[in-house]
Amino acid sequence: MLPDLHKELSKFSKSDDFQQTTIPIKDKAIHLTFYKTLISHEQLHHDLLSFIVIPTFEINQLHEIKALLPIEEIEVSSNLEDILKGLTHGSVFLQMDPHLHEGLLVNMADLKLGHRDHNDTQNEYSVLGPKVGFVECLDTNMSLLRTGLVTEKLIFEELSVGSISKTRTVIAYLEGITNPQHVNTARQRLLDLDFDVVFETSLLELLITDNSNSPFPLFLSSERLDRIMYALINGEVAILCDGSPTIITGPTSLFSFLISPEDYYLPWIMGSFFRLIRYFGIAFSILATSIYVATLTYHYTLIPRDLLGPIIESRTNVPFPPLLEVLFLEITIELLREAGSRLPTKVSQTLGIVGGIILGQAAVQAGLTSNILLIIVSLSALASFTTPIFKISNTIRFLRFPLIILASLWGGLGIMIGLMFILGHLLRLKSLGSPYIVPLFPFRHNSLSDSLIRSSFTLTSKRFFTPRPVSKHRYTVQKNKDIGDDYNNE
């Protein structure tokens, strides 16, 4: 004998927002069960109660109520697990008789509850291009993608992740473009995931990543609509999570983290120039302080004679070796960054500017560091901010410290050993099963036109190689040229 659903649901009444109520209708009664903090009370009274109470004819069956209500998402269910899942997602469970073993699950979730009214990008700002970003509502984010990519090829697959949270998670891809292998891999990793509560896509990324011990992010996360759209049309898989304003995509490559959407809103010469500036800034940020330590510790003979005098003069009153001097300034910069990121915007800007100036000047006057190193560390910190993705900026900040220690132990040889370890680690990394440093390894010369530089659109008609898309061509270049030639001939 099946248990009484009404009594089974009464066991969850310990929570104050769990509500069970009875609505009398003539000689019958309608039993409603719901979480009052999840549903839209306006919709409950306007679309459900008003239609049940008003009719003059007698209601005897659930299907009569289902046909009467102006609501699309209504499901007849008698499974306790499905009912609890519906209740925790904002549905109202309706029974005509508590002794019956089925009822109606009427979706009345309040979609506006706890969500932002504005969806401007907060952390990925650019001067050119749209400023539309994602919010914490999964349905809103899906709507933004559907509006941006007006095609029937855009597929959404919804899953439930988290043994306790039951977080709604969606896999998005373009059918006929995205490689089915990547879709299957992402789906299988999400289905095999055994975790209690999934708060955000960043946590989800750590749980399904190919290598959890790597400091490099293996999924690209972004809150910009145009960046996710570009990833989808290149054949990548996007993963959306309810309650998260960021979306992760894969498989991705290391070069994707160094590409800004603004590159494609500028002439290709300017886009390539700024991208090369970005690469130089990253190399400078990683190597500048370690080269300083190696040069002053082991290779001071390489310093030009004109520069040797100012360096000796600036270090005259510094009692520490170059290693401790560099670590002192680098840790100070990191403390300022962490403090600034935890404070309100206006306070953090004041802290960064005033704190940097005061601490830097005081450190030089106290003889704790030299003027030259202070300039190098400041430029190194600025260079790390040139990356458009925050997560790769954290990786760059981290890589400086092991290289500084290796430089203090073995000089230039130590730096080379560190770089070889980093390169070897990159060669082994994979993103959703695909090589991480394509097009360098495996080498694909056709993909260099949109990785190291941003070539003209006449040279980027093919999709990037990393996702191994089913359809390799985005558009036909020759057709565009013919149109231009016809116009010129007129």
Side-chain angles (χ1 to χ4, degrees):
M1 181 177 179
L2 293 174
D4 188 341
L5 282 178
H6 195 72
K7 292 182 179 179
E8 289 293 322
L9 293 174
S10 299
K11 297 179 181 179
F12 300 94
S13 60
K14 293 181 180 179
S15 179
D16 291 336
D17 64 338
F18 185 83
Q19 188 167 342
Q20 289 182 304
T21 184
T22 302
I23 307 296
I25 303 178
K26 295 184 179 181
D27 57 340
K28 293 184 174 58
I30 300 295
H31 302 275
L32 302 179
T33 305
F34 55 89
Y35 281 97
K36 62 182 180 181
T37 53
L38 295 178
I39 68 168
S40 171
H41 292 270
E42 180 181 356
Q43 187 180 9
L44 174 66
H45 290 86
H46 185 269
D47 295 339
L48 194 148
L49 296 181
S50 62
F51 282 85
I52 293 178
V53 177
I54 290 177
T56 57
F57 58 89
E58 187 175 358
I59 300 176
N60 297 313
Q61 300 294 332
L62 288 174
H63 71 271
E64 294 178 355
I65 299 179
K66 183 178 180 181
L68 192 64
L69 298 178
I71 302 173
E72 295 183 359
E73 298 184 37
I74 302 178
E75 177 185 355
V76 179
S77 179
S78 60
N79 185 280
L80 180 60
E81 184 177 350
D82 293 338
I83 294 171
L84 290 176
K85 181 179 178 181
L87 291 174
T88 54
H89 284 82
S91 293
V92 175
F93 184 61
L94 185 150
Q95 285 181 288
M96 292 195 66
D97 187 343
H99 300 290
L100 296 177
H101 304 302
E102 65 178 5
L104 292 180
L105 274 174
V106 185
N107 186 11
M108 292 193 169
D110 190 351
L111 299 179
K112 297 182 179 180
L113 184 64
H115 299 302
R116 288 181 285 150
D117 295 330
H118 304 287
N119 59 338
D120 297 336
T121 54
Q122 301 291 327
N123 301 312
E124 297 178 63
Y125 181 79
S126 65
V127 178
L128 299 177
K131 306 298 186 295
V132 179
F134 296 105
V135 295
E136 288 78 7
C137 179
L138 178 61
D139 294 314
T140 302
N141 295 338
M142 294 168 63
S143 176
L144 289 173
L145 283 176
R146 180 68 69 182
T147 305
L149 294 173
V150 188
T151 173
E152 71 282 356
K153 294 182 178 180
L154 179 59
I155 307 298
F156 292 125
E157 291 187 17
E158 184 170 334
L159 305 172
S160 179
V161 178
S163 58
I164 295 179
S165 63
K166 306 295 183 187
T167 306
R168 293 174 61 205
T169 304
V170 169
I171 302 174
Y173 62 94
L174 288 177
E175 190 176 26
I177 296 178
T178 306
N179 195 317
Q181 179 182 349
H182 301 320
V183 179
N184 296 333
T185 302
R187 183 191 303 115
Q188 193 61 44
R189 290 186 184 182
L190 291 173
L191 292 176
D192 293 343
L193 185 62
D194 186 11
F195 203 72
D196 51 0
V197 178
V198 176
F199 301 99
E200 219 256 0
T201 50
S202 296
L203 175 61
L204 198 63
E205 173 189 351
L206 298 176
L207 296 173
I208 65 173
T209 186
D210 296 67
N211 188 343
S212 59
N213 298 319
S214 175
F216 291 89
L218 301 182
F219 284 87
L220 190 145
S221 60
S222 177
E223 63 175 0
R224 290 181 61 105
L225 175 62
D226 55 351
R227 183 183 284 275
I228 301 302
M229 288 171 54
Y230 182 76
L232 287 172
I233 64 176
N234 275 306
E236 297 183 26
V237 178
I239 300 177
L240 299 76
C241 184
D242 196 19
S244 173
T246 58
I247 295 178
I248 59 175
T249 62
T252 188
S253 71
L254 179 63
F255 296 98
S256 299
F257 294 92
L258 310 179
I259 295 175
S260 172
E262 199 171 15
D263 296 344
Y264 299 97
Y265 306 134
L266 295 170
W268 73 268
I269 297 178
M270 300 301 298
S272 300
F273 172 74
F274 289 126
R275 192 174 292 185
L276 293 175
I277 289 291
R278 227 170 279 139
Y279 292 141
F280 171 77
I282 292 170
F284 182 86
S285 180
I286 294 176
L287 298 174
T289 49
S290 57
I291 291 176
Y292 175 87
V293 173
T295 302
L296 292 187
T297 307
Y298 295 99
H299 313 296
Y300 52 86
T301 55
L302 298 177
I303 303 175
R305 183 172 301 177
D306 295 337
L307 186 60
L308 187 60
I311 292 178
I312 294 175
E313 183 179 353
S314 65
R315 284 189 48 82
T316 302
N317 298 322
V318 178
F320 305 116
L323 173 63
L324 296 181
E325 183 188 8
V326 169
L327 289 178
F328 169 75
L329 273 185
E330 287 285 3
I331 293 175
T332 302
I333 292 292
E334 295 303 321
L335 290 175
L336 286 173
R337 280 182 174 180
E338 287 299 310
S341 62
R342 304 293 183 268
L343 293 173
T345 304
K346 295 182 179 179
V347 180
S348 63
Q349 291 176 353
T350 305
L351 175 67
I353 297 173
V354 177
I357 294 174
I358 294 177
L359 288 177
Q361 184 178 2
V364 172
Q365 291 180 351
L368 299 178
T369 184
S370 63
N371 288 318
I372 294 179
L373 178 60
L374 183 63
I375 296 173
I376 293 175
V377 171
S378 300
L379 291 176
S380 179
L382 287 175
S384 65
F385 289 116
T386 59
T387 55
I389 301 295
F390 176 72
K391 289 186 177 180
I392 199 67
S393 176
N394 290 337
T395 302
I396 293 170
R397 291 162 57 185
F398 168 77
L399 292 177
R400 288 205 298 262
F401 288 95
L403 289 178
I404 289 171
I405 295 174
L406 289 173
S408 67
L409 294 177
W410 299 300
L413 177 62
I415 296 176
M416 295 303 299
I417 292 175
L419 292 177
M420 290 300 104
F421 269 106
I422 294 174
L423 180 59
H425 178 69
L426 289 174
L427 289 172
R428 297 179 58 186
L429 287 181
K430 291 185 177 182
S431 172
L432 214 60
S434 297
Y436 188 58
I437 58 172
V438 172
L440 295 183
F441 178 81
F443 184 74
R444 296 292 185 270
H445 68 277
N446 292 330
S447 298
L448 292 175
S449 58
D450 197 18
S451 54
L452 294 177
I453 60 173
R454 205 284 274 179
S455 299
S456 171
F457 286 120
T458 58
L459 300 177
T460 57
S461 60
K462 289 186 177 180
R463 292 183 168 90
F464 200 59
F465 177 79
T466 301
R468 302 199 305 276
V470 176
S471 175
K472 295 181 172 56
H473 292 271
R474 292 177 54 195
Y475 50 86
T476 304
V477 178
Q478 188 61 40
K479 182 179 179 180
N480 295 336
K481 287 184 177 179
D482 291 343
I483 294 175
D485 292 340
D486 294 341
Y487 178 78
N488 293 328
N489 291 333
E490 292 178 1

